[in-house]
Amino acid sequence: TDFVESLPVKVKYRVLALKKLQTRVANLESKFLREFHGIERKFAEMYQPLLEKRRQIINGIYEPTEEECEYKSDSGGYNDDEIYDEEEIQATTEENKEEEDPKGIPDFWLTVLKNVDTLTPLIKKYDEPILKLLTDVKVNLSGPGELLSFTLEFYFKPNEYFKNEVLTKTYVLKSRLAYYDPHPYRGTAIEYCTGCEIDWNEGKNVTLKTIKKKQKHQIWGTIRTVTEDFPKDSFFNFFTPHGSSSNGRYVNDDFLLGHNLRTYIIPRSVLFFSGDALESQQEGVVREVNDAIYDKIIYDNWMAAIEEVKACCKNLEALVE
Amino acid sequence: TDFVESLPVKVKYRVLALKKLQTRVANLESKFLREFHGIERKFAEMYQPLLEKRRQIINGIYEPTEEECEYKSDSGGYNDDEIYDEEEIQATTEENKEEEDPKGIPDFWLTVLKNVDTLTPLIKKYDEPILKLLTDVKVNLSGPGELLSFTLEFYFKPNEYFKNEVLTKTYVLKSRLAYYDPHPYRGTAIEYCTGCEIDWNEGKNVTLKTIKKKQKHQIWGTIRTVTEDFPKDSFFNFFTPHGSSSNGRYVNDDFLLGHNLRTYIIPRSVLFFSGDALESQQEGVVREVNDAIYDKIIYDNWMAAIEEVKACCKNLEALVE
């Protein structure tokens, strides 16, 4: 850089020496990232039985015992309301005799995904019946010898929409940080990601809009109907493989979403389901919305002021005439 | 939450069971954070000799050897310009006989800090002579048995400004994540921070503005001069201890700055000195600046429009009269 070139030559060489030291730091960082991933892998295994039990409860495979339901809210002391109340259950069970007892926790994952503010806008009405069929969302970390990566796995009940049992998206992590990676432990340390091909059943692909067009033969004048497919907004575009050629902003948003799903949303999904995790999220949303409202108010005020002055001008003009 | 309350009672209890599982996940997370900190501590020790050599080169305690200066730029292949060139050195050394050969890398840390976009606005003209006296900036991680924390240590040459040899700021980390901590590996996992008392020499405190006031005695009418101190903007306010009672926004910015200093700026300071680390940063800065300029232009345009219309009104009014 020009600045370094402008330094006295001896100072310049000292800076080069520091840069050389820096490459050694970068090599250590790379080892650090591997070791860090190793710890994540170890803890992923420790979480595994808890996540498996979660899956079973959600899907009605396992019914939690009374003791397992005795959740005491974190905010100090016993909270009688939240403790398994056998009488209440029995009373309600009697009442609800006519309504079907739902299996597990219906719409668990759809509700979770819809409660993530960066996902909400991606989920369209026609995606919802498919997302209701989610039985589990898992994170799979790369093994010890492999390229550092994590894979998000979305498991579905057998369904009429596609043949896949699981849809996946793999995020390959940087195993060595570049100068311009400011937050080593954040989503930006993702190198690239790959989606998966969804094997849609005939006419069930929600990511395509089929348009029928009539074509007239140039010579014979006969008319035929052709159909053409256009891409359509859908949550399932999340699985479309995309490379570095895509729009930078979109890729960054996708990387951050992948990172958040992995470190936060999937491991704490119940808090998104129940709404507990929304509180702080909403703070950010509220602030953003407020900013937009604020801008709007300022704009409106200016517009009103100008209209007022204009009207005043018109009145004066009328007077002059 | 209302949503959970509205669920069929059996489903509600299943959700409570998931919440109870979640507290076990949280306990594992807490262990994970400790183990992660342990790795950071281990690597900090491995970085130590490199950082010590950096300190010595910056302060002219150690002169790097020819080989140590042979830095090859990362961007592929040998770059002759950047390799220690003895002839150039000797030539320039002859030339520069009259100018003093600077010791080490002058103003290293001041330049680094001024190149961090979130720090630049905090550094005032009167802070610069003091920051020129920085000999080292270190990160000190808490020990194995201690509260998870890191301390930023700013080392100064003995100076006329204050008696401290080192100014410190300690960030205490969360050892257990709450629901609303969205990014476990980011600055937001900081619980609180404590600064340090700066032992300023008489009349040298750049964080205070002393105002002289004349007071008239109510009865005797005699006049006396009193001085009163007011807080003044200064980089050194960074060390002012502040609790959770402070403004939330400010605290968050400070936490993020502390995190960035620790994980990014201090370990890669040479890249901030040389400007290499600026490239991507500037993108953000340019965008922010552009936004501000854009807002200003819009505002100015409205103001101009209104002034114009007002003037027009005045003219018309004059005509009417």
Side-chain angles (χ1 to χ4, degrees):
Chain A
T1 52
D2 290 346
F3 169 65
V4 174
E5 286 306 315
S6 77
L7 294 171
V9 69
K10 280 209 168 175
V11 176
K12 184 182 135 191
Y13 282 114
R14 289 176 200 133
V15 174
L16 290 182
L18 291 195
K19 279 196 170 192
K20 200 171 175 185
L21 279 178
Q22 195 65 35
T23 59
R24 289 168 63 192
V25 169
N27 287 335
L28 284 176
E29 267 180 358
S30 154
K31 277 193 194 133
F32 169 79
L33 288 177
R34 295 210 153 267
E35 204 153 317
F36 173 57
H37 200 68
I39 292 197
E40 288 199 302
R41 206 182 293 120
K42 183 177 109 183
F43 274 85
E45 265 176 49
M46 291 162 76
Y47 292 135
Q48 190 37 48
L50 301 174
L51 298 180
E52 173 55 18
K53 190 162 241 175
R54 176 174 83 177
R55 185 186 74 83
Q56 295 188 358
I57 293 172
I58 290 168
N59 294 288
I61 299 165
Y62 176 80
E63 192 66 48
T65 65
E66 200 172 319
E67 195 213 359
E68 283 172 334
C69 292
E70 273 175 13
Y71 170 74
K72 289 139 207 142
S73 119
D74 225 19
S75 44
Y78 288 74
N79 187 340
D80 287 326
D81 293 344
E82 296 219 283
I83 295 174
Y84 197 92
D85 180 341
E86 207 162 345
E87 272 177 51
E88 191 193 342
I89 287 205
Q90 273 176 355
T92 334
T93 315
E94 306 274 310
E95 267 176 46
N96 292 5
K97 268 276 154 67
E98 54 255 60
E99 22 171 313
E100 196 67 45
D101 175 31
K103 205 180 145 215
I105 305 176
D107 302 343
F108 181 82
W109 286 104
L110 171 62
T111 309
V112 169
L113 297 178
K114 282 178 79 179
N115 276 344
V116 176
D117 57 357
T118 48
L119 276 171
T120 320
L122 306 182
I123 299 172
K124 303 298 168 195
K125 267 274 157 280
Y126 40 83
D127 293 325
E128 296 196 10
I130 318 180
L131 292 173
K132 276 173 183 280
L133 303 165
L134 270 169
T135 58
D136 203 11
V137 182
K138 276 189 190 173
V139 186
N140 206 350
L141 298 178
S142 55
E146 293 164 19
L147 213 61
L148 295 188
S149 74
F150 64 90
T151 300
L152 306 178
E153 301 175 334
F154 292 73
Y155 290 84
F156 290 86
K157 283 184 199 156
N159 64 74
E160 53 175 320
Y161 299 96
F162 44 71
K163 294 181 187 71
N164 316 49
E165 234 175 84
V166 53
L167 302 181
T168 62
K169 184 149 175 178
T170 299
Y171 292 85
V172 176
L173 299 169
K174 293 183 179 172
S175 52
R176 187 171 169 173
L177 295 169
Y179 292 165
Y180 41 85
D181 299 327
H183 300 293
Y185 320 127
R186 255 188 77 193
T188 44
I190 293 171
E191 190 88 68
Y192 63 90
C193 70
T194 53
C196 77
E197 208 67 60
I198 305 179
D199 193 4
W200 293 101
N201 286 325
E202 184 70 28
K204 291 291 184 183
N205 189 340
V206 293
T207 69
L208 290 180
K209 192 161 40 197
T210 305
I211 307 268
K212 277 186 191 165
K213 279 206 282 189
K214 283 189 174 152
Q215 280 183 336
K216 198 174 172 183
H217 194 279
Q218 283 188 320
I219 297 164
W220 311 112
T222 51
I223 288 169
R224 61 167 189 177
T225 307
V226 291
T227 59
E228 209 173 330
D229 289 335
F230 294 93
K232 197 166 88 174
D233 283 346
S234 161
F235 169 77
F236 292 90
N237 289 320
F238 179 70
F239 300 101
T240 309
H242 64 81
S244 51
S245 60
S246 312
N247 180 293
R249 171 71 187 263
Y250 170 71
V251 168
N252 268 339
D253 284 355
D254 182 68
F255 284 5
L256 192 58
L257 178 57
H259 174 79
N260 283 347
L261 277 165
R262 167 208 187 186
T263 57
Y264 187 50
I265 300 157
I266 298 176
R268 302 174 179 203
S269 56
V270 66
L271 305 176
F272 282 88
F273 178 81
S274 66
D276 288 300
L278 298 182
E279 206 175 347
S280 67
Q281 278 221 325
Q282 270 167 352
E283 199 190 310
V285 173
V286 168
R287 204 172 39 232
E288 261 175 57
V289 169
N290 277 348
D291 280 354
I293 290 171
Y294 185 70
D295 288 349
K296 183 81 175 64
I297 289 169
I298 289 178
Y299 179 86
D300 289 349
N301 284 349
W302 286 118
M303 287 304 276
I306 285 180
E307 284 309 315
E308 209 175 291
V309 180
K310 269 191 192 163
C312 159
C313 285
K314 282 240 169 81
N315 286 342
L316 285 167
E317 271 172 38
L319 274 174
V320 173
E321 282 160 14
Chain B
T1 52
D2 290 348
F3 169 64
V4 174
E5 286 305 315
S6 76
L7 294 172
V9 70
K10 279 208 170 178
V11 176
K12 185 181 135 191
Y13 281 114
R14 289 176 199 132
V15 173
L16 291 182
L18 291 195
K19 280 196 171 193
K20 199 171 177 187
L21 278 178
Q22 196 64 36
T23 59
R24 288 167 64 192
V25 169
N27 287 335
L28 283 175
E29 267 180 0
S30 156
K31 276 193 195 135
F32 170 79
L33 288 178
R34 297 212 150 262
E35 204 154 318
F36 173 57
H37 201 68
I39 293 198
E40 288 199 303
R41 207 182 293 119
K42 183 178 109 183
F43 274 85
E45 265 177 50
M46 292 162 76
Y47 292 135
Q48 190 38 46
L50 301 173
L51 297 179
E52 172 56 17
K53 189 162 243 176
R54 175 175 85 176
R55 185 186 74 84
Q56 295 188 357
I57 293 172
I58 290 167
N59 294 289
I61 297 165
Y62 175 79
E63 191 66 47
T65 65
E66 202 173 314
E67 196 212 357
E68 283 172 335
C69 294
E70 274 175 12
Y71 170 73
K72 288 139 208 143
S73 119
D74 225 20
S75 44
Y78 287 73
N79 186 342
D80 287 327
D81 292 345
E82 296 220 283
I83 294 172
Y84 198 89
D85 179 342
E86 206 162 345
E87 272 175 54
E88 191 195 342
I89 286 205
Q90 271 174 357
T92 334
T93 315
E94 306 274 311
E95 268 176 46
N96 290 6
K97 268 277 153 67
E98 53 254 60
E99 25 169 311
E100 196 66 46
D101 176 33
K103 206 179 145 215
I105 305 176
D107 302 344
F108 181 83
W109 285 104
L110 171 61
T111 309
V112 169
L113 297 178
K114 281 178 79 178
N115 275 344
V116 176
D117 58 356
T118 47
L119 276 171
T120 319
L122 305 182
I123 300 171
K124 303 298 167 194
K125 267 275 157 281
Y126 40 83
D127 293 324
E128 296 196 9
I130 318 181
L131 292 173
K132 276 173 185 281
L133 303 166
L134 269 168
T135 59
D136 203 11
V137 183
K138 277 190 189 172
V139 186
N140 206 351
L141 298 177
S142 54
E146 292 165 19
L147 214 59
L148 295 188
S149 73
F150 64 91
T151 300
L152 306 178
E153 300 176 334
F154 292 73
Y155 289 84
F156 290 86
K157 284 185 199 155
N159 65 72
E160 53 175 319
Y161 299 96
F162 44 70
K163 295 183 186 71
N164 316 50
E165 236 175 82
V166 52
L167 303 180
T168 62
K169 185 150 175 177
T170 299
Y171 292 85
V172 176
L173 299 168
K174 293 183 177 173
S175 53
R176 187 170 169 174
L177 295 169
Y179 293 166
Y180 41 85
D181 298 327
H183 301 294
Y185 321 127
R186 255 187 79 194
T188 43
I190 294 171
E191 189 89 68
Y192 63 89
C193 70
T194 54
C196 76
E197 208 67 60
I198 305 179
D199 193 4
W200 295 100
N201 286 325
E202 184 71 26
K204 292 291 183 184
N205 189 340
V206 293
T207 68
L208 290 180
K209 191 159 43 195
T210 305
I211 307 268
K212 278 185 192 166
K213 280 206 281 188
K214 284 188 175 153
Q215 283 184 332
K216 198 174 172 183
H217 194 280
Q218 284 189 319
I219 295 162
W220 310 111
T222 50
I223 288 168
R224 60 167 191 179
T225 307
V226 291
T227 61
E228 209 174 328
D229 289 335
F230 295 93
K232 198 165 86 174
D233 283 345
S234 161
F235 169 77
F236 291 91
N237 288 320
F238 179 70
F239 300 101
T240 309
H242 64 79
S244 51
S245 61
S246 311
N247 178 294
R249 173 73 187 261
Y250 169 71
V251 169
N252 268 340
D253 285 353
D254 182 68
F255 284 6
L256 192 58
L257 178 57
H259 174 77
N260 284 347
L261 277 165
R262 167 207 187 186
T263 58
Y264 187 50
I265 299 156
I266 297 175
R268 302 173 180 205
S269 55
V270 66
L271 305 176
F272 282 88
F273 179 80
S274 65
D276 288 301
L278 297 182
E279 209 174 345
S280 67
Q281 277 223 323
Q282 266 167 353
E283 199 191 309
V285 173
V286 168
R287 203 172 38 233
E288 259 177 57
V289 169
N290 277 348
D291 281 354
I293 289 171
Y294 185 70
D295 288 350
K296 183 81 174 64
I297 288 171
I298 289 177
Y299 179 85
D300 288 351
N301 284 349
W302 286 118
M303 287 302 277
I306 285 178
E307 285 309 314
E308 211 175 291
V309 179
K310 268 190 193 162
C312 158
C313 286
K314 283 241 169 78
N315 287 343
L316 285 168
E317 272 173 37
L319 273 173
V320 173
E321 280 163 16

